DNA sequence: ACTTCGTGTGCTCGTCCTGAG
DNA sequence: TCTCAGGACGAGCACACGAAG
């Protein structure tokens, strides 16, 4: 009957619109330093609470939009505010004249704050819980008509299976836990591969981010708390020894996406970085390049296998290697430093192969600032086919990793091992594709000169 | 007694190391086209399975490392492999001489495939489940000695609370659900703020990514399945109307981080983008700039409020506005297009304020390619203080968003509303900081010329 | 009396809460 | 002041039941 989450505005509190700029207290119309301090009750620590003061509204009126569905006892008008016609609208104006009609989730029997359960559906339809369970679990048994009725009722009542209860009842939930580092470029696309693959096996997915303040171990611990039946680690900052330890300690199969070698503890899924870079070198040699330098980023583990590809290809073509290795966790910076080193080193190569797109960006930027034209003077390539490689101003020849397939392969690997625990972990190498764009060209007449 | 996840290598399957490059079949030593096809049983579709063939090992030996802890019946030697001394080692060598001693999780009473429960701990110690529950729940009652014993036993047995069971037992789990888009620059840092804030309230966090194949609605549905007590949406591609709908439909408080205005349906947490940009303009004016252009990216909703800041500041300084708006979801590209427009437009401004760091990158790159020096000829600024702003080759003056505090504030907002459902949603504006770097300088003698 | 189909009963998963000893 | 017995949360599984063929 009523929305379960009540929002009636009977209280008097009308939180105020507050705007603060930390270091611009002199801007007229804004809070001064003392008010800023009061605004943040516990000072400047990250985890502190941000409490709006009772009434600091000195600029602009409050913007109050109607609560919609329910009584709205306090009489706060639906469109009282909108004092400032600022320009951040941009939204479709479809919802403007919207009537305050409730959503379709009109309650029909569900109790107050509780989500409806299978028992609620059963009671609503006058049948048993088990029949409902069979229908929603897609199990054979119930008649077509019963199925229809149950599904309609579930929809109508806004039923959602309680994932916690499911995990509890099934000895171990079928879910697959995924640890990933949200700041890395290719990992979101890997996730895109994980979800459909898991769904194809009837598994759910629980994601646990590894961030600056949350180690991989923390993330895995949480996943185990959800009783995941398998764990996929994407990327991660762990070194081999730590990953081995982790795999040994946890009671479910583990797969690692990104790098690593075949081993007895966990599955490994990675791109064919070596052959990818080989294809790059072949491409450059085909254009006529002979002096090809490689920018290596040793701190990024997945790039080691790429260097192998560079070496192999150069040897195969009978060309001399020139590897510039730059430490530093940030690839762009490493690329920039490497490029400066190359510029200082006298004779310029006609092509520079970077271990990834980020490093290539650093290389390109640095060369540009020194008046080197790309690709007329120097061809530059990357690896990853990250979004930035596609920008018109970079237009980077690079190697596309099939990120989605990395995710899929990882799921396949752990599911196989979950179903057959005796099975040995495998290494899956996913092929890559050379993507030729505008940053490579045959060496021009001025190429290699300074 | 034994590891729960058995890994004895008694089978004969020795999966093979396989390397494939999709479009480089001519590289000697690698699989040819036909083999590639066989390698991928279901062709080239993204979700297909990757199955290693039984024996394709024609190059390099298998790398087999000992399984460690358990019997290793098949007699596969611990260091038999390592055929190719490739160079991707890089790991700490600490684990090399590791003895195969089992991890500390030696079973003491836990059954086969099951994780230990409170009842297991109780049985192990000869006490009741409830006492264990009280200790692990940090509830008053049990004596110090009992606490000690229980905690030691929990540690020893490798106990982890069953999050699903907790969620089931507590009417509604205390967890906070977070929807986020892993590809966006600032969102990982927002997550860093969410975790400690939730922990401070004794809440867990469940994360649900919104990706190319998974809508915000999907992500929220999953979180509701976990019976989260509140939901925080970071960024998201939803327009205002869709967000309103979402907030109306779900039975728990919702907060949105990124943009939006105060409203009756959900909490809004955003940076003070307007005052942030005002500080940028003040900084530039202080350096002596008078002709300051603004690059606007209308498709990115959070930037609208920033444009307001630009306008306000320019008006305050009595300067004329010059706004270049570029559609296009990719900010870098929009920046590049805007810069080309500015270059074509005749007189160059002495400073360009971009709506975000990505757009600034596009501006800088494009200017550089046209021989414009930064900051000598044109100063450029961004917004976000993304990692790229710190690169030596960009060294971008920008505005730092306190991403962690955005996350914290969102948690505070929904927790407040969860505990007091009658409360009205608030808008929290988190202050920003101007970060001056090398991309801004007083206008030089050649500034503004072409 | 035998399947086959559709449905209902009872118990269990791990945790936490009420109340009693 | 400390400890514990019993039960519930939501879903799923094994099984038993009644009605058709």
């Amino acid at each position: 009957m009523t929305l379960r989450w009540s929002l009636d505005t009977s209280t008097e509190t009308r939180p105020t619109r507050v705007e603060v700029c930390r270091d611009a207290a002199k801007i007229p119309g804004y809070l001064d330093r003392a008010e800023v301090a009061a605004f943040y009750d516990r000072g400047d620590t990250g985890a502190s609470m941000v409490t709006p003061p009772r009434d600091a509204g000195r600029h602009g009126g409050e913007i109050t939009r109607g609560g919609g569905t329910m009584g709205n006892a306090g009489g706060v008008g639906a469109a009282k505010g909108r004092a400032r016609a600022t320009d951040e609208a941009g939204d479709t104006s479809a919802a403007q004249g919207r009537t305050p009609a409730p959503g379709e989730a009109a309650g029909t029997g569900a109790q107050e704050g509780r989500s409806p359960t299978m028992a609620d559906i059963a009671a609503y339809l006058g049948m048993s819980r088990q029949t409902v369970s069979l229908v929603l679990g897609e199990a054979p048994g119930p008649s077509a008509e019963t199925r229809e009725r149950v599904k309609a009722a579930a929809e109508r009542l806004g039923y959602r299976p309680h994932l916690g209860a499911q995990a509890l009842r099934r000895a171990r939930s079928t879910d697959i836990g995924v640890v990933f580092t949200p700041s890395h470029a290719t990992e979101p696309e890997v996730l895109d591969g994980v979800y459909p693959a898991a769904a194809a096996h009837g598994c759910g997915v629980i994601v646990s981010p590894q961030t600056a303040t949350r180690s991989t171990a923390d993330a895995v611990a949480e996943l185990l708390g959800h009783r995941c039946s398998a764990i996929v680690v994407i990327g991660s900052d762990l070194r081999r020894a730590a990953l081995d330890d982790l795999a040994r300690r946890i009671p479910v199969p583990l797969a690692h996406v990104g790098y690593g070698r075949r081993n007895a503890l966990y599955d490994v899924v990675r791109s064919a970085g070596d052959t990818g870079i080989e294809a790059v070198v072949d491409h450059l040699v085909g254009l006529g390049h002979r002096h090809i330098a490689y920018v290596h980023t040793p701190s990024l583990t997945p790039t080691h296998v790429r260097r192998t590809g560079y070496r192999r290809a150069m040897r195969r073509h009978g060309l001399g290697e020139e590897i510039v290795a730059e430490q530093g966790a940030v690839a762009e910076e490493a690329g920039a430093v490497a490029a400066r080193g190359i510029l200082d080193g006298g004779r310029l190569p006609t092509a520079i192969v970077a271990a990834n797109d980020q490093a290539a960006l650093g290389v390109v930027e640095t060369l540009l600032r020194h008046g080197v034209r790309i690709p007329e003077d120097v061809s530059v390539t990357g690896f990853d086919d990250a979004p930035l490689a596609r920008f018109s101003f970079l237009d980077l020849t690079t190697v596309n990793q099939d990120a989605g397939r990395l995710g899929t392969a990882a799921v396949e690997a752990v599911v196989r091992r979950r179903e057959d625990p005796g099975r040995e972990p495998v290494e899956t190498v996913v092929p890559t594709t050379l993507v030729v764009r505008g940053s490579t060209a045959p060496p021009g007449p001025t190429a290699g000169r300074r």
Side-chain angles (χ1 to χ4, degrees), chain A residues 104-125:
Chain A
E104 52 276 76
T108 13
Q111 299 193 8
E112 277 278 32
R114 234 191 57 219
S115 293
T117 72
M118 286 191 176
D120 292 331
I121 298 176
Y124 177 66
L125 293 174

Side-chain angles (χ1 to χ4, degrees), chain A residues 84-437:
Chain A
R84 285 215 317 233
T86 49
D87 50 3
E88 54 248 55
D91 302 329
T92 65
S93 56
Q96 296 289 17
R98 215 169 206 283
T99 65
E104 52 276 76
T108 13
Q111 299 193 8
E112 277 278 32
R114 234 191 57 219
S115 293
T117 72
M118 286 191 176
D120 292 331
I121 298 176
Y124 177 66
L125 293 174
M127 54 175 70
S128 76
R129 312 191 305 276
Q130 187 47 23
T131 305
V132 175
S133 173
L134 288 175
V135 172
L136 298 179
E138 301 293 353
S143 65
E145 193 219 327
T146 310
R147 306 194 98 85
E148 208 51 51
R149 287 181 61 214
V150 169
K151 286 184 175 173
E155 172 80 13
R156 180 159 173 66
L157 295 178
Y159 172 78
R160 312 222 105 259
H162 191 308
L163 298 179
Q166 286 183 333
L168 175 61
R169 179 53 214 170
R170 313 200 232 263
R172 178 171 291 285
S173 97
T174 60
D175 288 351
I176 294 175
V178 178
V179 179
F180 82 120
T181 314
S183 55
H184 289 176
T186 51
E187 305 196 357
E189 299 176 41
V190 178
L191 270 182
D192 270 332
V194 166
Y195 274 95
H201 287 279
C203 308
V205 174
I206 300 185
V207 148
S208 190
Q210 181 238 312
T211 68
T213 59
R214 234 174 93 87
S215 71
T216 299
D218 294 338
V220 168
E222 191 199 283
L223 293 175
L224 290 180
H226 284 290
R227 296 299 184 270
C228 288
S229 60
I231 286 181
V232 172
V233 175
I234 305 175
S236 132
D237 52 350
L238 292 185
R239 303 217 143 267
R240 150 84 78 142
L243 211 51
D244 286 0
D245 260 12
L246 184 66
R248 248 191 288 268
R249 229 187 296 269
I250 66 177
V252 295
L254 175 74
H256 182 255
V257 178
Y259 53 88
R261 274 177 295 187
R262 178 162 145 45
N263 67 80
L265 293 169
Y266 53 90
D267 295 291
V268 170
V269 180
R270 62 173 180 86
S271 286
D274 46 359
T275 57
I277 288 291
E278 285 195 74
V280 166
V281 173
D282 291 348
H283 162 65
L284 290 170
V285 170
L287 289 174
H289 292 273
R290 311 288 296 164
H291 184 177
I292 304 170
Y294 181 77
V295 173
H296 182 47
T297 52
S299 57
L300 301 177
T301 319
T303 65
H304 288 86
V305 74
R306 300 177 195 169
R307 185 178 57 175
T308 306
Y310 167 76
R311 285 184 161 163
R312 207 186 298 158
M314 293 300 275
R315 228 173 291 137
R316 183 157 42 76
H317 288 292
L319 300 176
E321 299 173 17
E322 178 175 338
I323 296 177
V324 188
E326 288 303 335
Q327 292 289 351
V330 185
E332 290 90 340
E333 202 61 56
V337 175
R340 282 196 283 273
I342 289 173
L343 285 166
D344 292 345
R347 216 174 112 256
L348 219 55
T350 66
I352 298 177
V353 176
N356 55 53
D357 290 345
Q358 280 73 33
L361 173 66
V363 169
V364 167
E365 269 277 349
T366 306
L367 293 182
L368 282 179
R369 288 192 184 244
H370 287 79
V372 178
R373 291 167 310 159
I374 295 164
E376 293 85 351
D377 300 333
V378 177
S379 289
V380 178
T381 67
F383 194 107
D384 277 353
D385 199 17
L388 73 89
R390 289 162 214 172
F391 299 150
S392 60
F393 54 82
L394 257 189
D395 199 28
L396 193 66
T397 293
T398 187
V399 176
N400 180 273
Q401 303 197 61
D402 195 339
R405 187 176 281 171
L406 289 172
T408 305
V411 170
E412 301 293 345
V414 289
V415 167
R416 274 200 303 270
R417 259 183 43 253
R418 183 180 69 189
E419 278 155 17
D420 174 11
R423 199 168 186 131
E424 248 192 279
V426 299
E427 174 177 3
T428 306
V429 180
V430 173
T432 56
T433 312
L434 177 68
V435 180
V436 177
R437 294 205 182 89

